[in-house]
Amino acid sequence: MRAWPRSIRGRMLALSVVAGMVALVLAAVATTGILTRVVTDGIDRRLDAQIALLASSVTADGRFDAARLAAVRPALEAGPGWDWRIAGPGGVAASDTFLLAPDEGPVRHHDRPRTRRGRGPDGAPLHAREVVLATGGGRVVLSAAAPRGIVERPIRDAVTPLLTLLAVLIALLAVAAVVQVFYGLRPLRAIERAIVAVRDGRADAVPEDQPAELRPLAEELNALVRANGAALAAARQSAANLAHALKTPVAALALELRDDPPRAHLVDRIDATLRHHLARARDRVVGRRPDTDIAEAAGALAATLRKLSGGRVAIDTAIAPGLHAAIEPGDFDELLGNLLDNAVRHAAGRVDVRGQAIAGGVRLCVEDDGPGIAPDARERALAPGVRLDERGEGHGFGLAIVRELSELYGGRLELATGAAGGLLVTVILPRG
């Protein structure tokens, strides 16, 4: 299973979603870091001010002035979790919920506050600042702490609406990306429709009035169309020249064999084939769109094959009236004629011909109740120019010709086993 979309639209949208998520994560990390630093600096300044008040009550010999401490105590206890402590030679003075010593290394002298982390008696995390003063009586440790929630709460209160706003902005950008992808890829869809029009014969070239990025593509497509048209025209002209060259000898041969009906009939078939290919070459030169009423053509062919089989095989046709395929009538007769001839020769007693419209095309099915073709022999039966009859296998006739004709008009040929066990041939042709 592919995780990466195969379409350009899907890839562009996936990139937009990934970029939006990365931007949201980076914004959350950066915003949280900045706000944490700002809020922490503010708390640290407040705790440093409290330490300065504590230091004002410490005497030169390291003891503390109880009266001075009592005077500043209201400013030290701002609320639950705001703790302070003085520890020195004169003993320890602390708030009612005194600060536990943080779990760090040995206490050293530092006359500037530093950040410490610890926990109160209830286990709640504390954010603390500490100073170690050197006095005549020894070192004095001054500590002031605030609940960790004082730092986290304003960050959370600020980050939550900010991230919500960023998420909304990213959603709006995603919608904008969808709109951008939709309108940005419209020229590609227009080129696709133009190519379909060229293929169907409704246009001669792809419009070259395209955005700058697609103009070279349109020009190359038109160059390819012109090159293929030139090659096809040359091939048709060669076929027409060959047919013209054969017309005179065939006419002479018809005169020679006019008293021999069986052979004269074969010459007439050759002459009809030559005329058909000449007509098709002329039609294609003037660009006429091919069209055949397959119900009418199939009915006529089925009637002919019933007579030729002498009533041995019942041929049933079920094709909706007015169903047209984009194929020359002569080519359709050749295509279905080969299929019916093959089916009649191998059927035990019945051949079914069904036709129906499908999305964008026509499905034609010919099924017999004969021995069919083994799955491992079907590819060989469809090989160009190969007739299984000639190899002695007796599984079919003209399937390669049918495939070539169907592919010539943009269709395809499929072989399968029918409900009666015989061969089921399905031909898909473009809609007329």
Side-chain angles (χ1 to χ4, degrees), residues 10 38 50 55 78 105 116 156 195 203 241 252 279 337 352 370 374 390 396:
V38 171
Q50 292 182 345
R116 305 292 292 271
R156 184 172 58 252
I195 293 175
N241 292 339
D352 291 320
E390 296 175 352

Side-chain angles (χ1 to χ4, degrees), residues 333-375:
D333 289 344
E334 186 174 358
L335 182 151
L336 184 57
N338 275 295
L339 291 180
L340 287 177
D341 181 72
N342 184 70
V344 168
R345 288 191 302 110
H346 295 89
R350 183 178 180 83
V351 173
D352 291 320
V353 182
R354 301 185 301 275
Q356 63 182 126
I358 59 175
V362 173
R363 179 190 291 121
L364 180 68
C365 298
V366 178
E367 179 182 356
D368 63 68
D369 58 354
I373 297 179

Side-chain angles (χ1 to χ4, degrees), residues 393-431:
E393 298 182 10
H395 287 307
F397 178 81
L399 291 178
I401 297 176
V402 175
R403 182 174 71 170
E404 290 174 0
L405 285 173
S406 60
E407 291 179 350
L408 176 65
Y409 289 94
R412 66 181 186 274
L413 172 68
E414 299 173 355
L415 301 182
T417 301
L423 179 63
L424 171 61
V425 182
T426 301
V427 177
I428 307 296
L429 293 172
R431 191 77 173 268

Side-chain angles (χ1 to χ4, degrees), residues 51-130:
I51 289 177
L53 290 176
L54 292 174
S56 67
S57 64
V58 177
T59 61
D61 59 358
R63 300 179 183 277
F64 53 87
D65 184 344
R68 172 62 179 168
L69 186 58
V72 301
R73 186 164 184 165
L76 299 175
E77 299 176 357
W82 289 84
D83 297 326
W84 57 271
R85 185 175 68 172
I86 301 175
V92 176
S95 58
D96 294 336
T97 56
F98 60 92
L99 174 70
L100 292 180
D103 295 329
E104 295 191 12
V107 177
R108 295 183 176 87
H109 167 68
H110 51 87
D111 54 3
R112 300 187 62 181
R114 65 174 181 173
T115 300
R116 305 292 292 271
R117 295 187 183 276
R119 293 186 178 275
D122 59 352
L126 298 171
H127 178 79
R129 297 281 282 177
E130 183 183 85

Side-chain angles (χ1 to χ4, degrees), residues 38 42 45 48 111 119 122 143 169 220 227 328 330 381:
V38 171
R45 285 194 294 269
D48 292 346
D111 54 3
R119 293 186 178 275
D122 59 352
S143 302
L169 290 176
E220 290 298 325
E328 294 289 348

